[in-house]
Amino acid sequence: MARAKAKVTMDELLKPDNFDFSMVQVMDEEGNIVNPDLLGDISDEDMVKFMEEMVWARELFERSTALNRQGRLGFYAPTSGQEASQLGTVLATEKEDVLLPGYRDVPQLIKHGLPLHKAFLWSKGHVAGSTFDEDLKAYPPQIIIGAQYVQTAGVALGIKKNNRQAIAMTWTGDGGSSQGDFYEGINFAGAYQSPAVFVVQNNGWAISTPRSVQTAAPTLAQKAVAAGIPGIQVDGMDILAVYAVAKAAREYAIAGNGPVLIETICYRFGPHTLSGDDPKRYQPEGAQAEWRAKDPLIRMRKYLTAKGLWSDEKEEEVIQRTKDEVKEAIKLADQEPKQKISDFLKNMYETPDYVTQEQISKFEAKENK
């Protein structure tokens, strides 16, 4: 991990010609505030809220993993370890902002307004999981790695042309930053000075490919230089730093300055997905232990407990509340009518072509017997 280096103001970070990509950190691994100048107006109440959200996300991961193993969920990409990166960015957004998540970014969608049972339906591959209410400014999770970056560039340009006070925010992993879509997206948005915030969650491994062999660039944040936009590397296990940077990036973009690229240095405690990946086969022995000590929940827990703002009892309340939320959501998801073959065909096109309509009629006849 790059060495943390204090920055005096966000203005220094948000310059397209800034070539210092030292990792920004506000709270260190021991729960000490090391860069108070970047805290801004983050209050004690905000910090407690951040902790509650991270405990919620960690418990959602635990419950989702259990449901997957029970066969009650389908595709699932673990999020444990990336709570600060995911929530620190999304909590800096507003309701009018448009989110374009990747397949690991379901927690951000939920925090933006997606009902939890809809998130479970998406995991189960049910079309209802991708049918959002009109007031939810978001797209369903993108499965194609990096494709959401190109989509975000287009959405951000639309926001600008409609004179809306909002941004488009998207996420990908370090593997996504090796895709052509990554550069095309940030370059297009930069050229049109569109209000987008691009996040790369650098968790060190693109499935089984280590970050070190994906690119010769010392940081992923510096890839922003080629597009003429600001690039910032931040400690992705430090929710205070992530939130502060994401909020400043949003304000910068809304002010008409164009997009920002944020690289969060984080780690995924677990496999790429629960579909058969085993990180023990390719990650060096001891890597998990090293990163466990940097757990975003541990450092925030230390800080808040020392200030008398957190306790085991309070944490258990959040955990139990989350368990109840998950129990009710999976119950609702299980009650959704199962999809038929004819439904899959109907969902292919807004207006089915002749061949598809013929197949719909064929399967409907079988299903109605």
Side-chain angles (χ1 to χ4, degrees):
M1 179 183 287
R3 293 180 59 192
K5 181 178 179 180
K7 296 285 187 180
V8 178
T9 66
M10 285 293 177
D11 289 339
E12 291 178 300
L13 296 168
L14 291 165
K15 289 182 178 179
D17 58 354
N18 169 44
F19 300 128
D20 182 357
F21 300 100
S22 301
M23 186 184 70
V24 176
Q25 189 180 69
V26 172
M27 178 182 285
D28 67 15
E29 289 86 346
E30 297 304 317
N32 302 309
I33 300 297
V34 295
N35 203 342
D37 291 337
L38 293 184
L39 268 176
D41 58 357
I42 299 175
S43 65
D44 285 350
E45 290 73 19
D46 292 330
M47 294 189 192
V48 171
K49 176 66 173 176
F50 292 164
M51 183 63 183
E52 290 176 343
E53 299 289 21
M54 288 197 294
V55 171
W56 167 83
R58 182 64 60 86
E59 187 59 27
L60 176 62
F61 155 75
E62 297 289 352
R63 295 301 96 208
S64 297
T65 299
L67 289 168
N68 175 274
R69 289 170 176 165
Q70 294 168 12
R72 300 181 72 185
L73 285 186
F75 176 84
Y76 181 69
T79 59
S80 177
Q82 295 189 206
E83 294 88 354
S85 175
Q86 294 181 313
L87 297 172
T89 47
V90 76
L91 292 176
T93 64
E94 299 292 340
K95 184 178 175 61
E96 289 305 306
D97 296 334
V98 182
L99 305 191
L100 294 96
Y103 50 77
R104 199 180 309 281
D105 304 309
V106 177
Q108 296 97 297
L109 268 181
I110 298 169
K111 287 296 133 185
H112 202 55
L114 181 70
L116 182 54
H117 79 278
K118 287 265 189 177
F120 287 159
L121 284 168
W122 179 83
S123 175
K124 290 159 73 79
H126 200 293
V127 67
S130 295
T131 306
F132 294 175
D133 291 341
E134 193 171 324
D135 63 345
L136 176 58
K137 304 294 192 298
Y139 286 72
Q142 175 60 262
I143 293 293
I144 303 171
I145 297 174
Q148 63 270 33
Y149 263 53
V150 174
Q151 293 173 317
T152 299
V155 170
L157 181 58
I159 290 173
K160 179 178 181 178
K161 286 190 171 295
N162 286 305
N163 296 312
R164 290 180 50 212
Q165 291 296 299
I167 65 165
M169 180 177 280
T170 191
W171 299 261
T172 192
D174 46 300
S177 72
S178 298
Q179 296 288 106
D181 305 70
F182 168 84
Y183 179 72
E184 291 166 9
I186 64 173
N187 185 66
F188 185 95
Y192 286 95
Q193 291 190 299
S194 302
V197 175
F198 298 98
V199 182
V200 179
Q201 299 188 93
N202 181 359
N203 59 34
W205 298 89
I207 305 182
S208 59
T209 304
R211 149 76 175 86
S212 60
V213 302
Q214 291 183 57
T215 176
T219 71
L220 302 182
Q222 71 192 70
K223 293 190 174 188
V225 173
I229 67 175
I232 305 173
Q233 186 188 81
V234 61
D235 183 351
M237 310 294 266
D238 172 8
I239 194 170
L240 301 182
V242 174
Y243 176 81
V245 168
K247 183 179 179 183
R250 181 182 186 275
E251 292 170 353
Y252 173 94
I254 280 186
N257 298 304
V260 179
L261 176 67
I262 301 172
E263 175 191 6
T264 65
I265 303 295
C266 53
Y267 192 81
R268 184 182 67 246
F269 298 145
H272 180 71
T273 72
L274 297 186
S275 302
D277 174 51
D278 181 7
K280 293 179 181 179
R281 296 179 59 188
Y282 51 81
Q283 292 188 12
E285 188 175 350
Q288 287 274 340
E290 176 189 349
W291 280 94
R292 288 282 180 185
K294 301 172 183 177
D295 191 317
L297 276 71
I298 291 176
R299 66 177 73 180
M300 184 62 90
R301 187 182 294 123
K302 287 179 179 179
Y303 178 79
L304 293 178
T305 300
K307 294 193 71 174
L309 298 171
W310 196 256
S311 64
D312 291 342
E313 292 75 20
K314 187 171 183 62
E315 187 158 333
E316 186 54 40
E317 287 177 9
V318 178
I319 291 173
Q320 188 55 55
R321 196 160 62 239
T322 306
K323 287 180 178 178
D324 293 340
E325 180 186 358
V326 169
K327 185 177 180 180
E328 181 60 28
I330 194 64
K331 180 180 177 182
L332 286 173
D334 287 343
Q335 291 173 355
E336 191 73 25
K338 295 188 182 301
Q339 299 174 106
K340 297 175 289 189
I341 295 177
S342 60
D343 293 328
F344 289 117
L345 291 165
K346 290 175 184 176
N347 291 330
M348 286 180 64
Y349 306 105
E350 183 176 6
T351 303
D353 58 25
Y354 174 78
V355 174
T356 305
Q357 185 56 59
E358 190 176 64
Q359 292 175 324
I360 291 172
S361 300
K362 173 185 174 182
F363 284 102
E364 280 184 332
K366 291 182 178 180
E367 293 159 356
N368 292 332
K369 286 184 178 179

